[in-house]
Amino acid sequence: MLVRFLLYTSAGTQNSAASYRSGRSASWIFNSLLPGLIVGVILRYGTPSTSGHDKPFSCSQEDRPFTTLLVNVSGKFFEYTLKGEISPGKIHNVEQNDMLRKVTFDPEVFFNILLPPIIFHAGYSLKKRHFFRNLGSILAYAFLGTAVSCFIIGNLMYGVVKLMKLVGQLSGKFYYTDCLLFGAIISATDPVTVLAIFNELHADVDLYALLFGESVLNDAVAIVLSSSIVAYQPTGENTHAFDAAAFFKSVGVFLGIFSGSFMMGAVTGVVTALISFFFTKLHCFPLLETALFFLMSWSTFLLAEACGFTGVVAVLFCGITQAHYTYNNLSVESRSRTKQLFEVLHFLAENFIFSYMGLALFTFQKHIFSPVFIIGAFVAIFLGRAAHIYPLSFLLNLGRRHKISWNFQHMMMFSGLRGAMAFALAIRDTATYSHQMMFSTTLLIVFFTVWIVGGGTTPMLSWLNIRVGVDPDQDPPPTNDNSERRNRTKQESAWLFRLWYSFDHNYLKPILTHSGPPLTTTLPSWCGLVAHCLTSPQVYDVSRATQYLCFVFYVFNFTKNLAMVTSLLCSSSTASSLLI
């Protein structure tokens, strides 16, 4: 395979085994795209066109559109459903058009069925320690960086659209809001190939945390940002002109939807933790426990959509909350089952989306490919990603103890792949001329970044001299003192994380999980009754076991030291007697 050959020959300082593992991690994305491309070519060009139908009848233009047609033939009524307009050049390819429609999925399938397990797995598999240690930088990249990238790409593409209009290559309407929407769609990064190679090669944990955390929150921001741009409706005759009131309304929609989705996901995760906390006998039925965990996670998406929020964003924060609290209450078997279940669902959904991308390249019947728009999009994406990474990294390094080095910044710049999220956002609305051109361009951008950029990850790691083979559970310099390592991790963490770390450890963890210190030791003495009621008996058992182990360790050390002193005294008395 060409991609695997490139991965082999460009490994540089990496050994052949590491190169093979990285090639294996990247190849599943390419292997998912290729079958879709092959099937799309067969359906598009291999289906024979037929003309064995009568000449079409001409009907007068009606004042209002109809979606169904009722025909009376000799007293028998036949109902026909409108499938869509057929261009005059394809009037004799009705059967082929019908075949292409059958392999075209409803765009809402991606948002309601395929994206939730992908996003939930991202939150549920989050490595909390390294994520929270870089929380401030991740939030800056995800929120501020995505907004900067969206507006830069949108404004640059608006200039490209104006250029297309001047040279006569724009045959439809393309407004400034459409350009901003394209900026929001294409700002959703999905470096799944890069992260898979990072995971296999055990690349630097801080770089992995920055890229993974940015991509997870960046998807959520891109979804809400695109919804806010669609909600921008100025008053007056010109509905595409700038209106301050409509602008601030869109900002309010963004903040409201994002905060509401965040609260919905977090509350559902806390409710799941409480259910697994109080119903302690659930661990005796691992299958029921796993099923309840799955249904509660899926209900987060449904509740958020029913309340008018974004279900995908709610599922993300539900996964993060459940990984932090609910996971500790599950039985050992249920922990393994939930991890494997969502990993499999994520893998299947990701493969299906990439396969459908290859299929849609040939089966989508309204593609609009404009060379000027495509080239302008690639240039705008490069400049938007550069403005996203380098200025923010400079500002973040002013307050970071461990600076984001230049090679990290170059790697983050290189790793801005587009994938499933950009495709799902683009295919959601393809009704207008501008949205069709945006969808066709997004497909090409996804193919290019996954194949070219994803295939060049391993040589880029070698060229930038980024550490690989790093133990994710070990921080340099290593230490044998667990309390010292915990304190150092807390001190290195973002200030936002330090604000709630003690509160979470002393109060939330004992209330929601079977771990943490007993509330009787953290709450005031006058809250003793409440502390006993809210603290799990398992916490007392763990606390007593810990105290017992500490006591045994203390007695062992005391006995060992006493034996050494006794041995020294005996040896000194023996030496004195010999001298006498």
Side-chain angles (χ1 to χ4, degrees):
M1 187 177 184
L2 176 59
V3 174
R4 188 164 293 175
F5 172 76
L6 291 174
L7 289 171
Y8 279 140
T9 55
S10 58
T13 58
Q14 306 297 327
N15 55 41
S16 58
S19 300
Y20 173 74
R21 289 196 302 269
S22 65
R24 182 184 59 188
S25 301
S27 63
W28 71 269
I29 296 293
F30 309 133
N31 292 333
S32 300
L33 284 170
L34 288 177
L37 289 172
I38 295 172
V39 174
V41 171
I42 294 174
L43 290 176
R44 181 65 179 84
Y45 301 106
T47 306
S49 60
T50 58
S51 58
H53 61 278
D54 297 332
K55 183 178 179 180
F57 292 97
S58 299
C59 301
S60 61
Q61 183 75 24
E62 296 289 343
D63 295 333
R64 54 193 180 93
F66 293 94
T67 58
T68 58
L69 176 66
L70 194 65
V71 180
N72 184 359
V73 181
S74 302
K76 295 182 179 181
F77 292 90
F78 299 90
E79 182 183 4
Y80 295 88
T81 304
L82 175 66
K83 292 294 185 67
E85 182 182 358
I86 300 176
S87 60
K90 297 181 179 180
I91 194 66
H92 298 294
N93 297 333
V94 177
E95 291 187 7
Q96 184 185 29
N97 296 333
D98 187 60
M99 174 64 70
L100 296 180
R101 289 193 193 98
K102 289 180 180 179
V103 297
T104 302
F105 286 89
D106 187 350
E108 295 302 319
V109 171
F110 295 96
F111 266 82
N112 298 332
I113 297 178
L114 298 178
L115 282 184
I118 295 176
I119 299 299
F120 182 86
H121 177 263
Y124 193 56
S125 62
L126 191 69
K127 296 180 180 179
K128 300 185 293 295
R129 179 183 168 199
H130 303 292
F131 176 83
F132 287 114
R133 188 167 64 184
N134 299 277
L135 182 61
S137 302
I138 290 172
L139 291 177
Y141 285 128
F143 285 88
L144 186 58
T146 304
V148 169
S149 176
C150 169
F151 282 100
I152 288 179
I153 294 175
N155 284 278
L156 290 176
M157 294 311 299
Y158 188 64
V160 173
V161 169
K162 288 295 185 182
L163 177 62
M164 293 173 60
K165 189 175 182 180
L166 288 176
V167 298
Q169 292 193 8
L170 193 67
S171 58
K173 296 181 179 180
F174 213 119
Y175 299 105
Y176 179 69
T177 52
D178 295 327
C179 296
L180 286 180
L181 179 61
F182 179 72
I185 290 173
I186 213 65
S187 295
T189 60
D190 188 16
V192 58
T193 310
V194 176
L195 292 175
I197 295 175
F198 278 14
N199 193 37
E200 286 289 339
L201 296 179
H202 299 289
D204 191 283
V205 290
D206 286 328
L207 177 60
Y208 183 91
L210 288 172
L211 270 176
F212 183 78
E214 182 212 352
S215 66
V216 169
L217 295 180
N218 163 273
D219 289 345
V221 173
I223 293 173
V224 183
L225 190 60
S226 61
S227 301
S228 303
I229 294 174
V230 172
Y232 177 79
Q233 293 293 337
T235 58
E237 297 180 358
N238 190 358
T239 58
H240 294 276
F242 177 78
D243 188 353
F247 172 77
F248 286 109
K249 180 182 177 181
S250 297
V251 173
V253 168
F254 173 83
L255 296 176
I257 292 179
F258 194 92
S259 58
S261 303
F262 166 76
M263 291 300 299
M264 182 70 69
V267 167
T268 311
V270 169
V271 170
T272 309
L274 289 174
I275 291 176
S276 60
F277 176 81
F278 287 108
F279 295 94
T280 55
K281 295 299 181 181
L282 273 176
H283 71 273
C284 300
F285 308 95
L287 185 60
L288 177 62
E289 190 177 30
T290 305
L292 183 63
F293 183 90
F294 176 81
L295 293 176
M296 289 294 294
S297 304
W298 191 268
S299 65
T300 306
F301 176 85
L302 302 177
L303 287 174
E305 290 290 337
C307 295
F309 301 120
T310 303
V312 176
V313 179
V315 163
L316 168 64
F317 291 105
C318 177
I320 295 175
T321 307
Q322 291 192 350
H324 190 60
Y325 296 115
T326 313
Y327 184 80
N328 297 314
N329 299 337
L330 301 177
S331 62
V332 177
E333 188 174 353
S334 294
R335 292 180 184 181
S336 176
R337 283 182 175 181
T338 54
K339 286 283 188 181
Q340 294 175 357
L341 172 64
F342 285 103
E343 186 176 359
V344 170
L345 291 177
H346 160 264
F347 185 78
L348 291 176
E350 195 90 48
N351 270 273
F352 180 83
I353 290 179
F354 277 101
S355 298
Y356 189 75
M357 286 183 197
L359 190 68
L361 184 62
F362 295 97
T363 59
F364 185 70
Q365 303 178 57
K366 298 178 181 179
H367 275 304
I368 299 176
F369 295 102
S370 173
V372 177
F373 191 85
I374 293 170
I375 295 174
F378 276 100
V379 174
I381 289 171
F382 178 81
L383 296 177
R385 184 67 179 174
H388 176 175
I389 296 298
Y390 295 114
L392 278 181
S393 300
F394 172 77
L395 295 176
L396 291 170
N397 282 336
L398 297 178
R400 279 180 64 99
R401 182 175 303 174
H402 297 281
K403 309 299 182 183
I404 303 175
S405 59
W406 281 107
N407 57 344
F408 278 22
Q409 296 178 39
H410 296 328
M411 193 67 214
M412 293 179 68
M413 171 71 187
F414 180 79
S415 303
L417 282 76
R418 272 64 179 177
M421 183 58 65
F423 172 78
L425 288 172
I427 200 175
R428 200 171 191 182
D429 183 8
T430 57
T432 62
Y433 169 84
S434 59
H435 289 188
Q436 293 164 8
M437 184 182 295
M438 288 156 48
F439 173 68
S440 303
T441 306
T442 302
L443 267 181
L444 295 181
I445 292 172
V446 170
F447 289 153
F448 178 84
T449 55
V450 169
W451 276 340
I452 305 301
V453 180
T457 301
T458 302
M460 185 61 69
L461 283 172
S462 302
W463 185 62
L464 294 175
N465 295 321
I466 294 176
R467 293 188 308 154
V468 294
V470 179
D471 185 3
D473 296 323
Q474 182 178 355
D475 288 331
T479 179
N480 295 325
D481 189 355
N482 291 330
S483 62
E484 181 182 350
R485 184 179 66 178
R486 188 183 304 113
N487 291 332
R488 187 182 70 246
T489 301
K490 181 181 176 182
Q491 292 173 359
E492 292 175 351
S493 300
W495 64 270
L496 187 63
F497 174 62
R498 295 197 299 268
L499 290 177
W500 70 273
Y501 175 82
S502 298
F503 178 78
D504 174 70
H505 180 72
N506 294 331
Y507 302 107
L508 294 182
K509 274 288 186 72
I511 293 175
L512 299 176
T513 68
H514 300 302
S515 61
L519 288 175
T520 52
T521 61
T522 57
L523 288 176
S525 57
W526 54 272
C527 298
L529 180 61
V530 177
H532 278 287
C533 294
L534 295 179
T535 304
S536 171
Q538 298 181 18
V539 173
Y540 291 108
D541 295 339
V542 172
S543 179
R544 294 192 189 99
T546 304
Q547 294 175 1
Y548 176 75
L549 290 175
C550 292
F551 175 75
V552 171
F553 184 74
Y554 173 77
V555 171
F556 174 77
N557 284 338
F558 177 77
T559 307
K560 181 180 178 182
N561 293 333
L562 183 62
M564 292 176 62
V565 171
T566 305
S567 176
L568 289 174
L569 291 176
C570 291
S571 60
S572 61
S573 61
T574 304
S576 300
S577 61
L578 290 175
L579 290 174
I580 294 172

